Amino acid sequence: MTPEEEAIARAELAMSLRRQNVAGHKVLAALESVPRSLFLGAAHKALAYADRAAPIDCGQTVSQPAIVARMTEALELTPDVTVLEIGTGSGYQTAILARLAGHVYSVERFRLLSDLARERLAVLKVANVAIRVGDGHDGWAEHAPYDRIIVTAAAPAVPEALVEQLAPEGILVAPVGEDGAVQELMKCRKADGGLVGERIADVRFVPLVPGPAGRL
Ligand code: SAH
């Protein structure tokens, strides 16, 4: 793609997301400001501005932009909030969170994905993100509590450590359901130490797999 073609494709995607009303102005502006092609490997760059999920390394996927927009909108981000993200993947969603939140902590089980995401965020001069390799089931206790938590891999239930690490009144957005089935994208608020939630959409995410990856 030439830079002109890329600019047109980006603008078309932004217009289509605006028409679908998937998110408000601030979230869509953040999506527009992040070049999705940077987060895809050479073989998949042509998919960068299609409203589709795309393959990334380690057999994982970067979500469809409309879903990224809806999840980001559901988090109700403001510049003073601290966010925990489980499943850094390509770092695309991380970059968008970083544009709208105060600080982002992101956990990924594959070292390769974590290293690539860190490099890409450095290219974009994103400075308010910390990434570590680990099992997202455990959250990241050191920096808890978090005002917001986003999980970008599906689990049959929200891991207990994440509920504990969410601040009172905090918001958690996560796909809940079995691997390979349609899952429910949930938006939950913490009240009286537990989660009270509503379903936002039907989705299909890769699974939240226990333990850090042995290879890669
Ligand atoms: N938000 C990502 C999409 C990630 S796909 C993006 O914008 O690209 C889901 C990611 O969750 C994958 O990278 C996968 O390796 C990671 N993941 C799965 N189980 C995990 C776990 N237990 N802890 C941390 N990351 C996990």
Side-chain angles (χ1 to χ4, degrees):
M1 248 196 238
T2 65
E4 291 76 22
E5 283 167 344
E6 173 156 346
I8 291 169
R10 253 166 107 168
E12 278 173 354
L13 173 61
M15 279 191 291
S16 136
L17 295 176
R18 217 166 269 136
R19 272 196 303 273
Q20 292 174 59
N21 234 348
V22 284
H25 170 75
K26 267 198 263 175
V27 167
L28 292 180
L31 256 84
E32 267 186 76
S33 76
V34 176
R36 192 165 178 254
S37 61
L38 179 66
F39 295 86
L40 294 174
H44 302 292
K45 287 208 191 289
L47 289 177
Y49 302 107
D51 191 13
R52 280 175 50 189
I56 57 174
D57 284 310
C58 306
Q60 305 302 310
T61 52
V62 52
S63 304
Q64 179 187 351
I67 294 292
V68 173
R70 289 182 83 163
M71 291 178 83
T72 309
E73 183 72 27
L75 286 171
E76 300 181 19
L77 297 176
T78 51
D80 56 328
V81 300
T82 296
V83 184
L84 172 66
E85 177 189 45
I86 305 300
T88 317
S90 67
Y92 176 65
Q93 170 80 73
T94 321
I96 289 160
L97 298 172
R99 291 267 197 266
L100 299 164
H103 205 94
V104 182
Y105 295 92
S106 189
V107 182
E108 168 57 52
R109 65 187 286 276
F110 285 105
R111 180 165 301 281
L112 175 66
L113 291 177
S114 165
D115 288 347
L116 282 172
R118 204 175 287 117
E119 277 172 28
R120 290 157 175 163
L121 294 168
V123 169
L124 294 180
K125 300 195 167 38
V126 172
N128 56 342
V129 171
I131 301 178
R132 84 172 175 101
V133 178
D135 183 354
H137 286 93
D138 303 329
W140 191 340
E142 206 182 331
H143 304 288
Y146 301 95
D147 304 304
R148 306 287 187 262
I149 298 182
I150 175 171
V151 187
T152 66
V158 175
E160 200 45 48
L162 302 186
V163 182
E164 277 165 23
Q165 291 173 24
L166 185 63
E169 298 302 313
I171 298 174
L172 176 144
V173 174
V176 176
E178 301 293 334
D179 181 22
V182 173
Q183 305 125 8
E184 296 191 323
L185 183 59
M186 300 295 296
K187 171 180 179 174
C188 304
R189 218 173 266 274
K190 187 159 171 184
D192 299 328
L195 294 179
V196 184
E198 55 172 339
R199 198 195 129 268
I200 319 180
D202 286 344
V203 288
R204 252 177 207 277
F205 276 77
V206 293
L208 191 68
V209 179
R215 295 183 302 124
L216 299 173

PDB file of all heavy atoms in Angstrom, residues 36-37 39-41 43-65 68 89-90 92 113 120 204 206:
ATOM      1  N   ARG A  36      -2.890   0.948  12.528  1.00  0.00           N
ATOM      2  CA  ARG A  36      -3.033  -0.488  12.824  1.00  0.00           C
ATOM      3  C   ARG A  36      -2.031  -1.333  12.041  1.00  0.00           C
ATOM      4  O   ARG A  36      -1.629  -2.408  12.488  1.00  0.00           O
ATOM      5  CB  ARG A  36      -4.478  -0.918  12.520  1.00  0.00           C
ATOM      6  CG  ARG A  36      -4.863  -2.310  13.046  1.00  0.00           C
ATOM      7  CD  ARG A  36      -6.370  -2.462  13.020  1.00  0.00           C
ATOM      8  NE  ARG A  36      -6.861  -3.762  13.465  1.00  0.00           N
ATOM      9  CZ  ARG A  36      -7.344  -4.703  12.659  1.00  0.00           C
ATOM     10  NH1 ARG A  36      -7.384  -4.493  11.342  1.00  0.00           N
ATOM     11  NH2 ARG A  36      -7.796  -5.846  13.135  1.00  0.00           N
ATOM     12  N   SER A  37      -1.609  -0.841  10.866  1.00  0.00           N
ATOM     13  CA  SER A  37      -0.677  -1.627  10.040  1.00  0.00           C
ATOM     14  C   SER A  37       0.637  -1.895  10.775  1.00  0.00           C
ATOM     15  O   SER A  37       1.272  -2.930  10.572  1.00  0.00           O
ATOM     16  CB  SER A  37      -0.405  -0.927   8.715  1.00  0.00           C
ATOM     17  OG  SER A  37       0.182   0.312   8.946  1.00  0.00           O
ATOM     18  N   PHE A  39       1.033  -2.831  13.666  1.00  0.00           N
ATOM     19  CA  PHE A  39       0.852  -3.929  14.610  1.00  0.00           C
ATOM     20  C   PHE A  39       0.666  -5.282  13.921  1.00  0.00           C
ATOM     21  O   PHE A  39       0.503  -6.295  14.587  1.00  0.00           O
ATOM     22  CB  PHE A  39      -0.328  -3.617  15.544  1.00  0.00           C
ATOM     23  CG  PHE A  39      -0.041  -2.417  16.403  1.00  0.00           C
ATOM     24  CD1 PHE A  39      -0.294  -1.129  15.944  1.00  0.00           C
ATOM     25  CD2 PHE A  39       0.545  -2.575  17.651  1.00  0.00           C
ATOM     26  CE1 PHE A  39       0.014  -0.028  16.720  1.00  0.00           C
ATOM     27  CE2 PHE A  39       0.853  -1.470  18.438  1.00  0.00           C
ATOM     28  CZ  PHE A  39       0.586  -0.201  17.966  1.00  0.00           C
ATOM     29  N   LEU A  40       0.688  -5.272  12.596  1.00  0.00           N
ATOM     30  CA  LEU A  40       0.511  -6.520  11.837  1.00  0.00           C
ATOM     31  C   LEU A  40       1.807  -6.900  11.131  1.00  0.00           C
ATOM     32  O   LEU A  40       2.585  -6.030  10.742  1.00  0.00           O
ATOM     33  CB  LEU A  40      -0.605  -6.327  10.805  1.00  0.00           C
ATOM     34  CG  LEU A  40      -2.001  -6.105  11.403  1.00  0.00           C
ATOM     35  CD1 LEU A  40      -3.004  -5.783  10.307  1.00  0.00           C
ATOM     36  CD2 LEU A  40      -2.452  -7.327  12.195  1.00  0.00           C
ATOM     37  N   GLY A  41       2.021  -8.200  10.950  1.00  0.00           N
ATOM     38  CA  GLY A  41       3.185  -8.677  10.204  1.00  0.00           C
ATOM     39  C   GLY A  41       3.013  -8.367   8.718  1.00  0.00           C
ATOM     40  O   GLY A  41       1.893  -8.086   8.262  1.00  0.00           O
ATOM     41  N   ALA A  43       2.786 -10.083   6.091  1.00  0.00           N
ATOM     42  CA  ALA A  43       1.820 -10.884   5.326  1.00  0.00           C
ATOM     43  C   ALA A  43       0.382 -10.409   5.513  1.00  0.00           C
ATOM     44  O   ALA A  43      -0.485 -10.744   4.710  1.00  0.00           O
ATOM     45  CB  ALA A  43       1.947 -12.350   5.735  1.00  0.00           C
ATOM     46  N   HIS A  44       0.131  -9.673   6.582  1.00  0.00           N
ATOM     47  CA  HIS A  44      -1.259  -9.326   6.898  1.00  0.00           C
ATOM     48  C   HIS A  44      -1.554  -7.829   6.858  1.00  0.00           C
ATOM     49  O   HIS A  44      -2.636  -7.398   7.235  1.00  0.00           O
ATOM     50  CB  HIS A  44      -1.642  -9.902   8.258  1.00  0.00           C
ATOM     51  CG  HIS A  44      -1.486 -11.382   8.313  1.00  0.00           C
ATOM     52  ND1 HIS A  44      -2.285 -12.241   7.587  1.00  0.00           N
ATOM     53  CD2 HIS A  44      -0.591 -12.159   8.953  1.00  0.00           C
ATOM     54  CE1 HIS A  44      -1.889 -13.475   7.804  1.00  0.00           C
ATOM     55  NE2 HIS A  44      -0.854 -13.458   8.617  1.00  0.00           N
ATOM     56  N   LYS A  45      -0.567  -7.036   6.393  1.00  0.00           N
ATOM     57  CA  LYS A  45      -0.761  -5.581   6.423  1.00  0.00           C
ATOM     58  C   LYS A  45      -1.951  -5.134   5.572  1.00  0.00           C
ATOM     59  O   LYS A  45      -2.569  -4.117   5.855  1.00  0.00           O
ATOM     60  CB  LYS A  45       0.514  -4.852   6.002  1.00  0.00           C
ATOM     61  CG  LYS A  45       1.598  -4.917   7.073  1.00  0.00           C
ATOM     62  CD  LYS A  45       2.523  -3.737   7.023  1.00  0.00           C
ATOM     63  CE  LYS A  45       3.760  -3.931   7.903  1.00  0.00           C
ATOM     64  NZ  LYS A  45       3.495  -3.875   9.345  1.00  0.00           N
ATOM     65  N   ALA A  46      -2.255  -5.927   4.545  1.00  0.00           N
ATOM     66  CA  ALA A  46      -3.380  -5.558   3.678  1.00  0.00           C
ATOM     67  C   ALA A  46      -4.702  -5.558   4.449  1.00  0.00           C
ATOM     68  O   ALA A  46      -5.663  -4.912   4.043  1.00  0.00           O
ATOM     69  CB  ALA A  46      -3.466  -6.513   2.492  1.00  0.00           C
ATOM     70  N   LEU A  47      -4.743  -6.279   5.580  1.00  0.00           N
ATOM     71  CA  LEU A  47      -5.975  -6.346   6.387  1.00  0.00           C
ATOM     72  C   LEU A  47      -6.075  -5.213   7.405  1.00  0.00           C
ATOM     73  O   LEU A  47      -7.050  -5.127   8.154  1.00  0.00           O
ATOM     74  CB  LEU A  47      -6.006  -7.661   7.188  1.00  0.00           C
ATOM     75  CG  LEU A  47      -6.224  -8.961   6.443  1.00  0.00           C
ATOM     76  CD1 LEU A  47      -6.131 -10.130   7.413  1.00  0.00           C
ATOM     77  CD2 LEU A  47      -7.598  -8.940   5.780  1.00  0.00           C
ATOM     78  N   ALA A  48      -5.041  -4.354   7.439  1.00  0.00           N
ATOM     79  CA  ALA A  48      -4.924  -3.392   8.544  1.00  0.00           C
ATOM     80  C   ALA A  48      -6.158  -2.519   8.703  1.00  0.00           C
ATOM     81  O   ALA A  48      -6.556  -2.195   9.813  1.00  0.00           O
ATOM     82  CB  ALA A  48      -3.686  -2.529   8.368  1.00  0.00           C
ATOM     83  N   TYR A  49      -6.771  -2.105   7.583  1.00  0.00           N
ATOM     84  CA  TYR A  49      -7.884  -1.161   7.697  1.00  0.00           C
ATOM     85  C   TYR A  49      -9.216  -1.757   7.255  1.00  0.00           C
ATOM     86  O   TYR A  49     -10.165  -1.025   6.974  1.00  0.00           O
ATOM     87  CB  TYR A  49      -7.525   0.148   6.988  1.00  0.00           C
ATOM     88  CG  TYR A  49      -6.269   0.704   7.602  1.00  0.00           C
ATOM     89  CD1 TYR A  49      -5.050   0.667   6.937  1.00  0.00           C
ATOM     90  CD2 TYR A  49      -6.287   1.179   8.911  1.00  0.00           C
ATOM     91  CE1 TYR A  49      -3.891   1.105   7.548  1.00  0.00           C
ATOM     92  CE2 TYR A  49      -5.129   1.602   9.532  1.00  0.00           C
ATOM     93  CZ  TYR A  49      -3.938   1.570   8.846  1.00  0.00           C
ATOM     94  OH  TYR A  49      -2.798   1.980   9.470  1.00  0.00           O
ATOM     95  N   ALA A  50      -9.258  -3.107   7.246  1.00  0.00           N
ATOM     96  CA  ALA A  50     -10.548  -3.775   7.082  1.00  0.00           C
ATOM     97  C   ALA A  50     -11.106  -3.928   8.495  1.00  0.00           C
ATOM     98  O   ALA A  50     -10.346  -4.093   9.444  1.00  0.00           O
ATOM     99  CB  ALA A  50     -10.348  -5.138   6.452  1.00  0.00           C
ATOM    100  N   ASP A  51     -12.427  -3.875   8.638  1.00  0.00           N
ATOM    101  CA  ASP A  51     -13.000  -4.043   9.975  1.00  0.00           C
ATOM    102  C   ASP A  51     -13.100  -5.533  10.279  1.00  0.00           C
ATOM    103  O   ASP A  51     -14.188  -6.096  10.371  1.00  0.00           O
ATOM    104  CB  ASP A  51     -14.370  -3.350  10.059  1.00  0.00           C
ATOM    105  CG  ASP A  51     -14.860  -3.274  11.502  1.00  0.00           C
ATOM    106  OD1 ASP A  51     -14.044  -3.529  12.413  1.00  0.00           O
ATOM    107  OD2 ASP A  51     -16.042  -2.962  11.709  1.00  0.00           O
ATOM    108  N   ARG A  52     -11.923  -6.128  10.409  1.00  0.00           N
ATOM    109  CA  ARG A  52     -11.840  -7.582  10.609  1.00  0.00           C
ATOM    110  C   ARG A  52     -10.729  -7.912  11.590  1.00  0.00           C
ATOM    111  O   ARG A  52      -9.744  -7.176  11.681  1.00  0.00           O
ATOM    112  CB  ARG A  52     -11.481  -8.250   9.270  1.00  0.00           C
ATOM    113  CG  ARG A  52     -12.665  -8.404   8.340  1.00  0.00           C
ATOM    114  CD  ARG A  52     -12.236  -8.947   7.003  1.00  0.00           C
ATOM    115  NE  ARG A  52     -11.402 -10.145   7.120  1.00  0.00           N
ATOM    116  CZ  ARG A  52     -10.783 -10.683   6.079  1.00  0.00           C
ATOM    117  NH1 ARG A  52     -10.875 -10.145   4.872  1.00  0.00           N
ATOM    118  NH2 ARG A  52     -10.060 -11.766   6.244  1.00  0.00           N
ATOM    119  N   ALA A  53     -10.886  -9.031  12.300  1.00  0.00           N
ATOM    120  CA  ALA A  53      -9.787  -9.533  13.119  1.00  0.00           C
ATOM    121  C   ALA A  53      -8.666  -9.951  12.166  1.00  0.00           C
ATOM    122  O   ALA A  53      -8.918 -10.213  10.987  1.00  0.00           O
ATOM    123  CB  ALA A  53     -10.256 -10.730  13.936  1.00  0.00           C
ATOM    124  N   ALA A  54      -7.428  -9.977  12.647  1.00  0.00           N
ATOM    125  CA  ALA A  54      -6.316 -10.370  11.780  1.00  0.00           C
ATOM    126  C   ALA A  54      -5.329 -11.222  12.575  1.00  0.00           C
ATOM    127  O   ALA A  54      -5.168 -11.025  13.783  1.00  0.00           O
ATOM    128  CB  ALA A  54      -5.627  -9.121  11.232  1.00  0.00           C
ATOM    129  N   PRO A  55      -4.665 -12.174  11.881  1.00  0.00           N
ATOM    130  CA  PRO A  55      -3.709 -13.033  12.592  1.00  0.00           C
ATOM    131  C   PRO A  55      -2.466 -12.249  13.016  1.00  0.00           C
ATOM    132  O   PRO A  55      -2.000 -11.371  12.277  1.00  0.00           O
ATOM    133  CB  PRO A  55      -3.317 -14.081  11.536  1.00  0.00           C
ATOM    134  CG  PRO A  55      -4.260 -13.900  10.389  1.00  0.00           C
ATOM    135  CD  PRO A  55      -4.788 -12.513  10.460  1.00  0.00           C
ATOM    136  N   ILE A  56      -1.937 -12.578  14.205  1.00  0.00           N
ATOM    137  CA  ILE A  56      -0.638 -12.052  14.636  1.00  0.00           C
ATOM    138  C   ILE A  56       0.229 -13.256  14.993  1.00  0.00           C
ATOM    139  O   ILE A  56      -0.208 -14.396  14.836  1.00  0.00           O
ATOM    140  CB  ILE A  56      -0.771 -11.062  15.825  1.00  0.00           C
ATOM    141  CG1 ILE A  56      -1.487 -11.717  17.014  1.00  0.00           C
ATOM    142  CG2 ILE A  56      -1.514  -9.805  15.385  1.00  0.00           C
ATOM    143  CD1 ILE A  56      -1.521 -10.859  18.284  1.00  0.00           C
ATOM    144  N   ASP A  57       1.459 -13.031  15.478  1.00  0.00           N
ATOM    145  CA  ASP A  57       2.346 -14.161  15.793  1.00  0.00           C
ATOM    146  C   ASP A  57       1.762 -15.043  16.897  1.00  0.00           C
ATOM    147  O   ASP A  57       0.826 -14.643  17.603  1.00  0.00           O
ATOM    148  CB  ASP A  57       3.722 -13.625  16.238  1.00  0.00           C
ATOM    149  CG  ASP A  57       4.541 -13.131  15.047  1.00  0.00           C
ATOM    150  OD1 ASP A  57       4.660 -13.886  14.068  1.00  0.00           O
ATOM    151  OD2 ASP A  57       5.013 -11.987  15.099  1.00  0.00           O
ATOM    152  N   CYS A  58       2.371 -16.217  17.069  1.00  0.00           N
ATOM    153  CA  CYS A  58       2.038 -17.158  18.147  1.00  0.00           C
ATOM    154  C   CYS A  58       0.607 -17.673  18.054  1.00  0.00           C
ATOM    155  O   CYS A  58       0.002 -18.053  19.069  1.00  0.00           O
ATOM    156  CB  CYS A  58       2.278 -16.525  19.526  1.00  0.00           C
ATOM    157  SG  CYS A  58       3.928 -15.854  19.754  1.00  0.00           S
ATOM    158  N   GLY A  59       0.016 -17.663  16.845  1.00  0.00           N
ATOM    159  CA  GLY A  59      -1.322 -18.223  16.655  1.00  0.00           C
ATOM    160  C   GLY A  59      -2.427 -17.376  17.278  1.00  0.00           C
ATOM    161  O   GLY A  59      -3.531 -17.866  17.495  1.00  0.00           O
ATOM    162  N   GLN A  60      -2.150 -16.105  17.551  1.00  0.00           N
ATOM    163  CA  GLN A  60      -3.142 -15.239  18.202  1.00  0.00           C
ATOM    164  C   GLN A  60      -3.780 -14.318  17.157  1.00  0.00           C
ATOM    165  O   GLN A  60      -3.410 -14.346  15.984  1.00  0.00           O
ATOM    166  CB  GLN A  60      -2.471 -14.433  19.318  1.00  0.00           C
ATOM    167  CG  GLN A  60      -1.744 -15.310  20.317  1.00  0.00           C
ATOM    168  CD  GLN A  60      -2.657 -16.337  20.963  1.00  0.00           C
ATOM    169  OE1 GLN A  60      -3.733 -16.003  21.454  1.00  0.00           O
ATOM    170  NE2 GLN A  60      -2.246 -17.603  20.942  1.00  0.00           N
ATOM    171  N   THR A  61      -4.727 -13.491  17.591  1.00  0.00           N
ATOM    172  CA  THR A  61      -5.374 -12.559  16.654  1.00  0.00           C
ATOM    173  C   THR A  61      -5.518 -11.187  17.288  1.00  0.00           C
ATOM    174  O   THR A  61      -5.655 -11.064  18.504  1.00  0.00           O
ATOM    175  CB  THR A  61      -6.797 -13.024  16.260  1.00  0.00           C
ATOM    176  OG1 THR A  61      -7.529 -13.285  17.453  1.00  0.00           O
ATOM    177  CG2 THR A  61      -6.785 -14.252  15.395  1.00  0.00           C
ATOM    178  N   VAL A  62      -5.472 -10.174  16.426  1.00  0.00           N
ATOM    179  CA  VAL A  62      -5.798  -8.817  16.882  1.00  0.00           C
ATOM    180  C   VAL A  62      -7.281  -8.633  16.547  1.00  0.00           C
ATOM    181  O   VAL A  62      -7.748  -9.033  15.474  1.00  0.00           O
ATOM    182  CB  VAL A  62      -4.897  -7.740  16.224  1.00  0.00           C
ATOM    183  CG1 VAL A  62      -4.860  -7.847  14.726  1.00  0.00           C
ATOM    184  CG2 VAL A  62      -5.321  -6.334  16.637  1.00  0.00           C
ATOM    185  N   SER A  63      -8.035  -8.062  17.502  1.00  0.00           N
ATOM    186  CA  SER A  63      -9.489  -7.973  17.339  1.00  0.00           C
ATOM    187  C   SER A  63      -9.874  -7.049  16.194  1.00  0.00           C
ATOM    188  O   SER A  63      -9.108  -6.180  15.772  1.00  0.00           O
ATOM    189  CB  SER A  63     -10.131  -7.434  18.606  1.00  0.00           C
ATOM    190  OG  SER A  63      -9.796  -8.216  19.699  1.00  0.00           O
ATOM    191  N   GLN A  64     -11.102  -7.234  15.772  1.00  0.00           N
ATOM    192  CA  GLN A  64     -11.730  -6.361  14.772  1.00  0.00           C
ATOM    193  C   GLN A  64     -11.803  -4.930  15.357  1.00  0.00           C
ATOM    194  O   GLN A  64     -12.164  -4.759  16.526  1.00  0.00           O
ATOM    195  CB  GLN A  64     -13.122  -6.940  14.592  1.00  0.00           C
ATOM    196  CG  GLN A  64     -14.013  -6.267  13.647  1.00  0.00           C
ATOM    197  CD  GLN A  64     -15.417  -6.881  13.719  1.00  0.00           C
ATOM    198  OE1 GLN A  64     -15.630  -7.914  14.366  1.00  0.00           O
ATOM    199  NE2 GLN A  64     -16.332  -6.246  13.066  1.00  0.00           N
ATOM    200  N   PRO A  65     -11.483  -3.904  14.560  1.00  0.00           N
ATOM    201  CA  PRO A  65     -11.523  -2.527  15.083  1.00  0.00           C
ATOM    202  C   PRO A  65     -12.849  -2.152  15.750  1.00  0.00           C
ATOM    203  O   PRO A  65     -12.849  -1.453  16.766  1.00  0.00           O
ATOM    204  CB  PRO A  65     -11.246  -1.671  13.840  1.00  0.00           C
ATOM    205  CG  PRO A  65     -10.384  -2.553  12.989  1.00  0.00           C
ATOM    206  CD  PRO A  65     -10.890  -3.947  13.211  1.00  0.00           C
ATOM    207  N   VAL A  68     -12.642  -3.454  19.213  1.00  0.00           N
ATOM    208  CA  VAL A  68     -11.681  -2.657  19.988  1.00  0.00           C
ATOM    209  C   VAL A  68     -12.354  -1.348  20.421  1.00  0.00           C
ATOM    210  O   VAL A  68     -12.258  -0.928  21.574  1.00  0.00           O
ATOM    211  CB  VAL A  68     -10.406  -2.368  19.149  1.00  0.00           C
ATOM    212  CG1 VAL A  68      -9.478  -1.396  19.866  1.00  0.00           C
ATOM    213  CG2 VAL A  68      -9.670  -3.671  18.844  1.00  0.00           C
ATOM    214  N   GLY A  89      -1.035  -9.067  23.265  1.00  0.00           N
ATOM    215  CA  GLY A  89      -1.074  -9.439  21.845  1.00  0.00           C
ATOM    216  C   GLY A  89      -0.164  -8.544  21.029  1.00  0.00           C
ATOM    217  O   GLY A  89       1.021  -8.377  21.335  1.00  0.00           O
ATOM    218  N   SER A  90      -0.711  -7.947  19.977  1.00  0.00           N
ATOM    219  CA  SER A  90       0.079  -7.077  19.095  1.00  0.00           C
ATOM    220  C   SER A  90       0.424  -5.739  19.754  1.00  0.00           C
ATOM    221  O   SER A  90       1.326  -5.033  19.304  1.00  0.00           O
ATOM    222  CB  SER A  90      -0.724  -6.784  17.828  1.00  0.00           C
ATOM    223  OG  SER A  90      -1.858  -5.980  18.161  1.00  0.00           O
ATOM    224  N   TYR A  92      -1.901  -3.358  19.841  1.00  0.00           N
ATOM    225  CA  TYR A  92      -2.784  -2.356  19.200  1.00  0.00           C
ATOM    226  C   TYR A  92      -3.796  -1.778  20.196  1.00  0.00           C
ATOM    227  O   TYR A  92      -3.911  -0.556  20.350  1.00  0.00           O
ATOM    228  CB  TYR A  92      -3.503  -3.003  18.016  1.00  0.00           C
ATOM    229  CG  TYR A  92      -4.506  -2.089  17.349  1.00  0.00           C
ATOM    230  CD1 TYR A  92      -4.085  -0.934  16.695  1.00  0.00           C
ATOM    231  CD2 TYR A  92      -5.873  -2.368  17.381  1.00  0.00           C
ATOM    232  CE1 TYR A  92      -5.000  -0.085  16.095  1.00  0.00           C
ATOM    233  CE2 TYR A  92      -6.797  -1.524  16.769  1.00  0.00           C
ATOM    234  CZ  TYR A  92      -6.353  -0.394  16.136  1.00  0.00           C
ATOM    235  OH  TYR A  92      -7.258   0.459  15.549  1.00  0.00           O
ATOM    236  N   LEU A 113       5.482 -11.825  21.679  1.00  0.00           N
ATOM    237  CA  LEU A 113       4.452 -10.795  21.467  1.00  0.00           C
ATOM    238  C   LEU A 113       4.723  -9.588  22.363  1.00  0.00           C
ATOM    239  O   LEU A 113       4.590  -8.427  21.935  1.00  0.00           O
ATOM    240  CB  LEU A 113       3.060 -11.369  21.764  1.00  0.00           C
ATOM    241  CG  LEU A 113       2.559 -12.418  20.771  1.00  0.00           C
ATOM    242  CD1 LEU A 113       1.199 -12.958  21.207  1.00  0.00           C
ATOM    243  CD2 LEU A 113       2.450 -11.831  19.367  1.00  0.00           C
ATOM    244  N   ARG A 120       6.862  -1.636  19.141  1.00  0.00           N
ATOM    245  CA  ARG A 120       5.896  -0.839  18.358  1.00  0.00           C
ATOM    246  C   ARG A 120       5.451   0.384  19.147  1.00  0.00           C
ATOM    247  O   ARG A 120       5.292   1.471  18.594  1.00  0.00           O
ATOM    248  CB  ARG A 120       4.691  -1.685  18.004  1.00  0.00           C
ATOM    249  CG  ARG A 120       5.037  -2.746  16.980  1.00  0.00           C
ATOM    250  CD  ARG A 120       4.064  -3.872  17.036  1.00  0.00           C
ATOM    251  NE  ARG A 120       4.319  -4.837  15.984  1.00  0.00           N
ATOM    252  CZ  ARG A 120       3.829  -6.062  15.982  1.00  0.00           C
ATOM    253  NH1 ARG A 120       3.051  -6.471  16.973  1.00  0.00           N
ATOM    254  NH2 ARG A 120       4.099  -6.873  14.995  1.00  0.00           N
ATOM    255  N   ARG A 204     -16.168 -13.562  19.744  1.00  0.00           N
ATOM    256  CA  ARG A 204     -15.340 -14.777  19.702  1.00  0.00           C
ATOM    257  C   ARG A 204     -13.900 -14.360  19.903  1.00  0.00           C
ATOM    258  O   ARG A 204     -13.316 -13.710  19.031  1.00  0.00           O
ATOM    259  CB  ARG A 204     -15.455 -15.433  18.334  1.00  0.00           C
ATOM    260  CG  ARG A 204     -16.249 -16.702  18.350  1.00  0.00           C
ATOM    261  CD  ARG A 204     -16.362 -17.232  16.949  1.00  0.00           C
ATOM    262  NE  ARG A 204     -17.553 -18.026  16.798  1.00  0.00           N
ATOM    263  CZ  ARG A 204     -17.629 -19.308  17.138  1.00  0.00           C
ATOM    264  NH1 ARG A 204     -16.587 -19.932  17.622  1.00  0.00           N
ATOM    265  NH2 ARG A 204     -18.762 -19.963  16.973  1.00  0.00           N
ATOM    266  N   VAL A 206      -9.807 -15.530  21.289  1.00  0.00           N
ATOM    267  CA  VAL A 206      -8.917 -16.662  21.592  1.00  0.00           C
ATOM    268  C   VAL A 206      -8.990 -16.884  23.109  1.00  0.00           C
ATOM    269  O   VAL A 206      -9.327 -15.972  23.858  1.00  0.00           O
ATOM    270  CB  VAL A 206      -7.452 -16.385  21.148  1.00  0.00           C
ATOM    271  CG1 VAL A 206      -7.355 -16.297  19.639  1.00  0.00           C
ATOM    272  CG2 VAL A 206      -6.880 -15.139  21.804  1.00  0.00           C
TER     273      VAL A 206
END
